[in-house]
Amino acid sequence: MGLQAKYLEAIRRVVNQNWRHDNDNVPAKVHCKVHYTQMRGGEVLAVSFPDCPFDAVGRQSVDDALKRTPLPYAGYESAYDAEGTIDMCYPEEA
């Protein structure tokens, strides 16, 4: 696995650990595409939902997960990208 793939997996892991979802607001096995903009160091500045069927509460839970802690950066500087898209789904393995 290359550094870029490891970087994206680290982001996915952190966001899923930060995600506090309630099953009533996040339908099972439904995918939500989320676009984010971050600065160097991993602080997320903006989140948008180009393709997400979650309701407002579900979207807010994803927004909070992305902004709760900085995204991984140290050790991934050469793979860093200011913008990215992540696929959120509960349960994660779905």
Side-chain angles (χ1 to χ4, degrees), residues 46-82:
V47 177
S48 63
F49 299 88
D51 184 15
C52 182
F54 294 177
D55 66 12
V57 175
R59 287 179 183 209
Q60 187 61 51
S61 72
V62 173
D63 187 279
D64 292 344
L66 279 154
K67 293 178 178 174
R68 184 163 283 122
T69 60
L71 298 179
Y73 179 74
Y76 299 104
E77 292 87 349
S78 64
Y80 166 81
D81 193 344

Side-chain angles (χ1 to χ4, degrees), residues 19-29 55 57-58 61 90-91:
W19 194 17
R20 297 185 181 128
H21 46 76
D22 180 280
N23 290 342
D24 294 336
N25 298 321
V26 178
K29 299 181 182 178
D55 66 12
V57 175
S61 72
Y90 174 80

